[in-house]
Amino acid sequence: RSGADAAMTSIFISYRRDDAGDIAGRMYDALIRQPQKPNVFLDVEGIGHGENYLDRIKAMLAKCDVIVVVIGPKWTGVGPSGSRILLDSDVVRMEVAQALISNRKVLPVMVSGARTPPADELPVDLVALRELNHIELRQRYFNRDIDLLFDSIWGVKRKRAGQSLGARIAQKLVRALVGGTGAAALMFALVATFNAVTGNSLEVLFGRQSEFMVVVLIGLVVLGALAAVFWPRKRVLR
């Protein structure tokens, strides 16, 4: 993405393609959809054909505000030489080392069950990464977990896209309507079942029809309100 202005947050995503390529791409897509319209750099999206790879990465690292370090199970794995990848001439090592000595925010993100790398698997210039509080990003709970990343990037509970006060009220009303409708369907199903089994109307339990209807309406209101308050929004992506 280009055309960033001075007020725009610039984010660099550091990752290994064979370790966390899919989830890094998913993170990129989620970030660029945020209302803050950040300038997000991901190598497969931000480096053109014929462009010098290392020069482009160094240039972006030098001007970004936040470096997100995506760490998967293979992040410190063994390379072709038989030694750990991070001990070789490794692009990811260069990215993270440069990020750690800068004055920018560095956010380690653990994916696919990865844990903070032990000190003996890290070169000296990356040991400081262990001291940074990390975020766990799980595929199953991606939407919920990435909210923590968004809040960490912008430093506050950011404004969610499409979640204005009016939108939230409308959402609650829709939930109440759906909950009340479901409760009504359940109530009438119970009435029909009672009539079929006993041969009597449920109204005999209340004496008069008006009292029966009042109880039904109160029940619908209560169930609708409970649905509006406690019905969870969709968070899980599979």
Side-chain angles (χ1 to χ4, degrees), residues 187-188 191 201-203 206-217:
M187 183 69 71
F188 285 116
V191 170
S201 170
L202 196 61
E203 297 169 18
F206 297 91
R208 291 194 300 274
Q209 183 176 3
S210 60
E211 294 177 358
F212 170 69
M213 294 306 297
V214 167
V215 171
V216 171
L217 289 173

Side-chain angles (χ1 to χ4, degrees), residues 105-126:
K105 182 180 292 186
V106 180
L107 297 174
V109 178
M110 306 300 173
V111 302
S112 302
R115 294 291 179 262
T116 303
D120 60 0
E121 294 184 6
L122 296 174
V124 175
D125 52 357
L126 299 192

Side-chain angles (χ1 to χ4, degrees), residues 65-78:
D65 304 303
V66 179
I67 299 95
V68 177
V69 181
V70 184
I71 300 175
K74 300 178 183 178
W75 196 74
T76 64
V78 175

Side-chain angles (χ1 to χ4, degrees), residues 21-32:
D22 290 345
I23 202 164
R26 196 173 174 188
M27 181 188 300
Y28 171 86
D29 291 338
L31 283 166
I32 63 175

Side-chain angles (χ1 to χ4, degrees), residues 1-235:
R1 294 170 63 85
S2 59
D5 56 42
M8 183 180 294
T9 302
S10 182
I11 302 167
F12 186 103
I13 301 177
S14 171
Y15 73 106
R16 294 195 188 283
R17 293 187 188 179
D18 62 347
D19 180 42
D22 290 345
I23 202 164
R26 196 173 174 188
M27 181 188 300
Y28 171 86
D29 291 338
L31 283 166
I32 63 175
R33 290 197 299 266
Q34 293 310 296
Q36 290 84 357
K37 301 298 182 184
N39 181 18
V40 185
F41 178 83
L42 185 72
D43 59 355
V44 295
E45 298 288 342
I47 301 178
H49 297 295
E51 192 170 5
N52 186 287
Y53 186 87
L54 288 177
D55 287 349
R56 176 66 169 161
I57 285 177
K58 291 176 181 178
M60 292 306 299
L61 279 168
K63 64 181 182 180
C64 68
D65 304 303
V66 179
I67 299 95
V68 177
V69 181
V70 184
I71 300 175
K74 300 178 183 178
W75 196 74
T76 64
V78 175
S81 67
S83 63
R84 292 206 171 273
I85 303 173
L86 289 174
L87 300 179
D88 295 334
S89 298
D90 181 50
V91 175
V92 171
R93 174 181 177 178
M94 180 272 292
E95 293 171 352
V96 179
Q98 184 171 331
L100 290 172
I101 62 175
S102 70
N103 292 322
R104 297 168 179 83
K105 182 180 292 186
V106 180
L107 297 174
V109 178
M110 306 300 173
V111 302
S112 302
R115 294 291 179 262
T116 303
D120 60 0
E121 294 184 6
L122 296 174
V124 175
D125 52 357
L126 299 192
V127 171
L129 188 67
R130 289 176 43 83
E131 301 172 4
L132 303 178
N133 194 23
H134 70 263
I135 296 167
E136 183 179 5
L137 189 58
R138 299 162 292 181
Q139 286 279 13
R140 187 178 182 185
Y141 301 105
F142 184 86
N143 281 2
R144 180 171 62 191
D145 291 344
I146 204 165
D147 275 348
L148 298 177
L149 175 63
F150 296 155
D151 293 338
S152 297
I153 289 173
W154 283 283
V156 294
K157 292 291 183 181
R158 85 216 187 290
K159 180 182 177 182
R160 306 302 197 242
Q163 287 296 306
S164 63
L165 177 60
R168 291 196 298 271
I169 292 174
Q171 186 180 60
K172 295 292 186 183
L173 290 175
V174 170
R175 290 180 180 178
L177 178 61
V178 174
T181 301
L186 177 61
M187 183 69 71
F188 285 116
L190 291 174
V191 170
T193 302
F194 181 84
N195 290 344
V197 172
T198 66
N200 296 319
S201 170
L202 196 61
E203 297 169 18
V204 300
L205 298 179
F206 297 91
R208 291 194 300 274
Q209 183 176 3
S210 60
E211 294 177 358
F212 170 69
M213 294 306 297
V214 167
V215 171
V216 171
L217 289 173
I218 291 175
L220 294 180
V221 170
V222 171
L223 288 174
L226 289 174
V229 173
F230 295 108
W231 190 356
R233 68 179 182 180
K234 185 177 180 181
R235 294 179 181 270

